[in-house]
Amino acid sequence: MTKRKFLVIIFVQLIFHCNGQIKLYVALTGSDKNAGTLSMPFKSPEMAIAKALMQTGKDVIIQFREGLYNLNKTIEITSENYHLNSLVIRSYKNEKVTISGAEKISPKWQPYKNSILKSHIALTEKPDRLLMNGVNLPMARYPNYDSTARVFNGTAANAISDEKVANWRNPNGGYIHALHNGEWGDFHYLITGKTNEGKLSYEGGWQNNRPAPMHPQYRFVENIFEELDAPGEWWYDIKAQILYLYPPKNQPIEHAQFEVSHLTDLLHIIGDAHQTVKNIEIQHITFTATSRSFMQTKEPLLRSDWTIYRGGAILLKGTADIRISNCTFCSLGGNALLLSDYNKNDTIQGNNIYDIGASAVVFVGNPMAVRSPAFQYDLSITWSKMDYAPGPKSTDYPQYCLVQDNLIQHIGTIEKQVAGVAIDMSAHITVSHNTIYNTPRAGINIGDGCWGGHVIEYNDVFNTVLETGDHGAFNSWGRDRFWSPDRSLIDSIFAARPGIELLDVIDPITLRNNRFQCDHGWDIDLDDGSSNYLIYNNICLNGGLKLREGYHRTITNNIIINNTFHPHVWLKNSGDIFKNNIVSTPYAPILMNSWGKEIDANFFLTNEGLQKAQQLNLDKNSRSGNVQFVNEQQGNYTIKPGAAVLEMGFKNFDSHVGVTLPALKKKAASPPVKPLFTDVSSGKVHTVEWLGAQFKNIETLGERSAAGLHDNNGAMLVELPVHTLATKSDLQKGDVIVMIDDKMINNISDLLQTYQTIKWMGNAPCTIIRNQVEKKITVSFKE
């Protein structure tokens, strides 16, 4: 080496040292005995993290080369071992890097019987998930996996019947999964064996904070050897250490790669409010193949319907200025990201999150920060013991964090009390420009009134509440310290102590410029005392907007398509305002004695809606008519210049919702555009979809004659795809619906509008004309 080259190297090293920046590299071809350079990388993530944490006061970048990294244990970065100025963990030049909670196995398959194969696999614990070429295979289950089934991919009322249990020699270690009896989430149980009388014994059911029996129909069992009877199913005998597999159809297994999950959590970053772990960024990494955590979902979240497992693929606790961006979270058994207790200024941005067993992003504070906490729906705090100071007792909760530009889909594959973004015991969380769809329950859920300040904006949330009921695409509960299920008691407390309603939700919660669509509930559902909300510039596509008892909700400048405003059991002197909104159908009040501060200056798409509102002494200055959307057939609900609704004070708003990153936007779906009821009733739309089938008006003498009708009244079924709710309700092509739930159906407009008012019932009696004969059936709005 020449003297000049030597001096250049020394000069570069001096600059590197002065900057305090250190780069470490990891590759599958490396060795943990290497120096961690690009040419001599480490082999394991654990070694790279350990070496990085030795660099006190430095800026460290860990870069992974392409490959699948199976972790042996959860990686821990804590305030005790983290003394860096900053840490970046990312892929090298955006190479595809995957960190997995599974371990590879190499089965040597031998025939067993009935097409089932077996292999000796020595494992220290019973595996929770088996993956073949990265795809999760179902445990042996009853009923068998059905991708078309609405709930749990298949359920059966006799899943744990005496007859079934009698056929199971040793069901110990199996699971029972069921919906809540009210379809308010789910329950899960571990089977512990059979009693001397042959009855099934099990433990669990703590996954829901609203105790109830399991649903009589929506239930299934898994991990029972005798139910190993369908392609793709598997079962592991822990005593004999034998893995049994019924091979998937048309998928050769000779060269397939198999893994079994063994970690519920991949990365923990843990400090506390006094000694935070901060300035860490994670980029361009895929996190996958964690175990399911449903039996660890135990901790009640105040009086919400939720219990929680404080863990996930990534757990943040006691952190600040953490940024997780452009990562992928997929094929996970539990939560993707959970931020527990104190976390401040953390950012979750630009991530692709899908195929998740529980929730995508969860914020949950420490209940010790809550004043006068209660932990079940029907518990109330007595006046003498209530803390009347406003706000939290400490800072031990997530605050000023951002969830932005994430694509979240297909979550809650096993747990159903989940959300794309869940916020509990937190403050000032911003959820912006996310696309969230295909969820069994809410897309976004706020579980309590602690402590407000959240901004929910520009999100596209649809295909929600697919497997449960009585919920919202956006859902919230208040249930603050003073709240009670007894409405008269709340009225008396508020009268005696004005201002008590804002002790917890000290800052307003804002919902603006979102697009919401719900399948079995409301597009926006403010339930059980949700208070201090500003809701404006939102588009509700299907389920309408509901306000249950609460205070200080101002609802302005929203568009409610094919549905309406649902005021439920308001409190005295609520201060609520519903003004300058566009509403499709008549209001749907329930047990309303008090009507808040102001309900006026709204625009109804039908004169019927306006008349019924004014009969309630509401909407004195409201109007009805053609709202003049620019192009409702394409989902463009901008109002044309000069329209009457604009003269009344309604203002057009920015409706560009959902993810903005081109890569995610390309992958994201959009909600289906359905015809306006007014277009259907005017004859502009000839056929409509209902329960998965196509219906039309009776228009010709030939159609009347074929059906045996006396007039043109009714809605005729003209197209009937398989595997729809229509087929499950025993409807047939050519049927004419003439009545539902004692309401006459004269045309397809009546059909849709009647359905919107009764769909919460789950099913309804229906009168049809079939082959010229009147017939009564029950149509089901759920599986």
Side-chain angles (χ1 to χ4, degrees):
M1 180 183 296
T2 66
K3 183 176 181 180
R4 179 171 180 156
K5 287 184 178 179
F6 177 77
L7 290 174
V8 169
I9 292 173
I10 294 296
F11 179 70
V12 171
Q13 289 177 338
L14 284 171
I15 294 176
F16 181 83
H17 179 75
C18 292
N19 287 344
Q21 186 184 77
I22 296 174
K23 292 185 178 180
L24 302 174
Y25 297 86
V26 188
L28 295 177
T29 56
S31 169
D32 284 347
K33 295 181 180 180
N34 285 344
T37 62
L38 181 59
S39 60
M40 298 183 66
F42 298 126
K43 184 177 181 63
S44 72
E46 295 92 335
M47 178 58 71
I49 295 290
K51 291 295 185 182
L53 294 176
M54 297 178 183
Q55 313 300 320
T56 301
K58 301 293 179 63
D59 297 305
V60 179
I61 301 175
I62 300 175
Q63 299 190 80
F64 285 81
R65 301 305 305 269
E66 184 171 356
L68 172 64
Y69 296 84
N70 298 92
L71 298 184
N72 295 317
K73 62 180 182 179
T74 303
I75 294 175
E76 301 271 353
I77 300 174
T78 71
S79 56
E80 294 181 356
N81 63 25
Y82 182 83
H83 306 290
L84 304 179
N85 184 54
S86 69
L87 174 63
V88 177
I89 303 172
R90 68 188 185 200
S91 66
Y92 177 76
K93 294 185 178 180
N94 296 338
E95 293 179 356
K96 187 176 180 180
V97 174
T98 301
I99 295 180
S100 170
E103 59 178 311
K104 296 178 181 179
I105 59 173
S106 301
K108 301 184 185 306
W109 299 111
Q110 298 176 344
Y112 173 60
K113 62 180 180 181
N114 299 330
S115 301
I116 298 172
L117 305 177
K118 67 177 183 178
S119 176
H120 182 270
I121 299 290
L123 300 173
T124 57
E125 58 184 16
K126 205 165 188 177
D128 178 69
R129 301 173 73 205
L130 175 67
L131 294 94
M132 176 178 164
N133 297 328
V135 177
N136 183 58
L137 299 178
M139 283 181 170
R141 55 170 283 166
Y142 176 80
N144 292 329
Y145 185 92
D146 177 2
S147 62
T148 67
R150 185 178 72 86
V151 179
F152 282 128
N153 296 117
T155 58
N158 68 337
I160 55 173
S161 65
D162 290 345
E163 294 77 13
K164 270 287 174 188
V165 173
N167 293 326
W168 301 336
R169 183 178 61 84
N170 181 18
N172 184 33
Y175 296 110
I176 306 168
H177 307 277
L179 285 191
H180 185 285
N181 190 47
E183 300 186 15
W184 298 339
D186 54 328
F187 296 116
H188 307 269
Y189 305 84
L190 173 66
I191 298 173
T192 55
K194 294 201 290 187
T195 66
N196 293 333
E197 294 77 26
K199 300 290 185 180
L200 201 64
S201 60
Y202 48 87
E203 63 182 19
W206 44 63
Q207 296 83 3
N208 197 295
N209 203 27
R210 295 286 292 274
M214 67 176 77
H215 198 284
Q217 170 65 38
Y218 298 135
R219 52 175 69 174
F220 79 100
V221 294
E222 66 172 353
N223 204 28
I224 296 173
F225 182 59
E226 287 79 4
E227 301 302 335
L228 182 59
D229 60 359
E233 292 186 347
W234 64 276
W235 186 79
Y236 183 73
D237 186 336
I238 187 67
K239 291 184 177 179
Q241 295 192 318
I242 295 177
L243 176 64
Y244 295 88
L245 174 68
Y246 197 130
K249 288 183 178 179
N250 304 319
Q251 296 186 43
I253 66 170
E254 292 80 8
H255 303 291
Q257 296 182 351
F258 289 91
E259 301 169 275
V260 291
S261 65
H262 68 119
L263 297 176
T264 58
D265 297 31
L266 301 178
L267 173 62
H268 287 176
I269 303 176
I270 298 178
D272 58 46
H274 305 290
Q275 189 175 359
T276 60
V277 177
K278 58 186 179 180
N279 299 331
I280 295 179
E281 185 163 0
I282 302 171
Q283 305 172 343
H284 296 286
I285 293 179
T286 294
F287 298 88
T288 192
T290 55
S291 296
R292 300 176 300 176
S293 55
F294 59 85
M295 289 306 294
Q296 300 178 69
T297 303
K298 294 183 177 183
E299 179 190 341
L301 293 184
L302 298 186
R303 291 193 280 185
S304 86
D305 291 1
W306 284 47
T307 63
I308 197 73
Y309 165 62
R310 289 185 187 254
I314 296 181
L315 169 66
L316 304 181
K317 178 180 178 180
T319 70
D321 299 303
I322 305 295
R323 182 181 180 86
I324 299 172
S325 63
N326 301 106
C327 292
T328 297
F329 296 82
C330 63
S331 191
L332 298 175
N335 301 313
L337 297 122
L338 190 135
L339 291 81
S340 175
D341 298 347
Y342 180 86
N343 292 277
K344 188 172 183 179
N345 295 328
D346 291 346
T347 298
I348 313 297
Q349 186 172 29
N351 302 287
N352 188 14
I353 305 175
Y354 63 94
D355 190 15
I356 307 298
S359 293
V361 183
V362 182
F363 297 90
V364 54
N366 189 334
M368 295 300 292
V370 180
R371 297 184 188 274
S372 299
F375 292 91
Q376 204 168 80
Y377 173 85
D378 55 358
L379 293 180
S380 296
I381 309 301
T382 60
W383 282 45
S384 60
K385 295 182 179 179
M386 189 179 295
D387 184 342
Y388 290 100
K393 290 194 295 186
S394 73
T395 61
D396 205 9
Y397 55 88
Q399 51 198 276
Y400 297 99
C401 294
L402 174 65
V403 183
Q404 185 176 52
D405 228 346
N406 301 282
L407 175 57
I408 299 171
Q409 57 165 311
H410 289 92
I411 67 169
T413 57
I414 186 65
E415 299 182 51
K416 305 306 173 186
Q417 193 69 277
V418 299
V421 180
I423 302 172
D424 296 85
M425 295 176 283
S426 303
H428 296 278
I429 306 300
T430 296
V431 183
S432 180
H433 274 294
N434 302 282
T435 298
I436 304 172
Y437 58 94
N438 291 352
T439 73
R441 206 139 172 78
I444 301 172
N445 190 81
I446 297 179
D448 51 55
C450 308
W451 286 276
H454 313 306
V455 177
I456 314 298
E457 63 179 7
Y458 298 102
N459 300 286
D460 199 10
V461 184
F462 58 96
N463 289 1
T464 60
V465 195
L466 294 176
E467 298 182 59
T468 59
D470 191 11
H471 210 54
F474 172 85
N475 183 82
S476 67
W477 295 292
R479 302 179 187 172
D480 298 347
R481 69 185 91 168
F482 74 96
W483 182 85
S484 168
D486 184 345
R487 190 165 38 132
S488 62
L489 178 59
I490 303 178
D491 285 338
S492 66
I493 293 173
F494 178 74
R497 285 185 174 269
I500 195 173
E501 76 280 11
L502 298 179
L503 293 182
D504 289 315
V505 59
I506 54 179
D507 294 311
I509 298 170
T510 300
L511 271 67
R512 63 190 180 199
N513 299 85
N514 302 283
R515 182 168 63 181
F516 292 116
Q517 179 263 327
C518 179
D519 286 75
H520 300 102
W522 296 270
D523 298 335
I524 297 176
D525 184 359
L526 268 60
D527 207 1
D528 291 350
S530 299
S531 297
N532 204 3
Y533 274 78
L534 302 174
I535 301 178
Y536 59 92
N537 294 0
N538 300 283
I539 299 174
C540 298
L541 289 178
N542 183 63
L545 187 153
K546 167 189 160 189
L547 297 186
R548 197 174 167 89
E549 76 270 356
Y551 296 93
H552 310 301
R553 286 85 59 91
T554 299
I555 319 298
T556 59
N557 218 74
N558 301 281
I559 300 173
I560 303 176
I561 299 297
N562 290 349
N563 210 299
T564 190
F565 178 40
H566 296 257
H568 292 186
V569 293
W570 283 9
L571 302 168
K572 292 180 180 178
N573 302 310
S574 67
D576 290 336
I577 296 172
F578 186 80
K579 187 175 181 180
N580 292 124
N581 300 285
I582 296 173
V583 181
S584 294
T585 60
Y587 296 158
I590 294 178
L591 297 176
M592 289 293 292
N593 298 321
S594 302
W595 282 93
K597 183 177 180 180
E598 183 179 12
I599 299 179
D600 202 1
N602 299 294
F603 194 93
F604 292 82
L605 300 192
T606 65
N607 190 48
E608 178 191 14
L610 176 61
Q611 289 179 346
K612 289 188 174 182
Q614 292 181 340
Q615 288 170 7
L616 295 168
N617 295 318
L618 307 171
D619 289 282
K620 180 181 178 180
N621 298 297
S622 296
R623 296 172 62 179
S624 65
N626 183 354
V627 73
Q628 297 190 52
F629 291 127
V630 167
N631 193 335
E632 62 268 28
Q633 290 84 8
Q634 295 183 9
N636 184 345
Y637 300 111
T638 303
I639 309 299
K640 295 177 182 178
V645 68
L646 298 178
E647 297 174 0
M648 294 175 60
F650 186 91
K651 297 179 180 179
N652 282 317
F653 54 85
D654 184 359
S655 58
H656 291 88
V657 296
V659 291
T660 62
L661 285 176
L664 294 181
K665 198 169 184 178
K666 185 177 180 180
K667 296 178 180 178
S670 297
V673 178
K674 295 185 178 180
L676 287 179
F677 286 173
T678 52
D679 287 344
V680 175
S681 61
S682 68
K684 294 179 182 178
V685 176
H686 298 289
T687 64
V688 296
E689 182 272 332
W690 186 62
L691 304 185
Q694 292 292 318
F695 290 81
K696 69 180 294 295
N697 291 328
I698 306 299
E699 298 174 294
T700 67
L701 182 62
E703 289 172 341
R704 281 177 52 183
S705 176
L709 300 173
H710 301 297
D711 49 35
N712 282 8
N713 292 333
M716 176 180 284
L717 197 162
V718 292
E719 292 184 22
L720 183 63
V722 297
H723 303 305
T724 64
L725 288 173
T727 58
K728 292 176 180 178
S729 296
D730 294 325
L731 286 166
Q732 297 179 11
K733 188 173 180 179
D735 287 349
V736 178
I737 296 178
V738 295
M739 183 178 291
I740 297 178
D741 192 40
D742 296 327
K743 297 176 178 63
M744 298 300 299
I745 305 300
N746 297 316
N747 48 50
I748 55 178
S749 178
D750 288 349
L751 176 68
L752 295 181
Q753 294 195 52
T754 299
Y755 171 64
Q756 289 289 54
T757 64
I758 65 172
K759 63 182 180 179
W760 332 110
M761 297 165 50
N763 58 66
C766 179
T767 301
I768 64 173
I769 306 298
R770 176 180 295 168
N771 298 325
Q772 304 190 11
V773 176
E774 183 178 291
K775 182 179 179 65
K776 295 187 182 298
I777 64 173
T778 298
V779 291
S780 177
F781 311 144
K782 300 179 181 179
E783 180 194 13

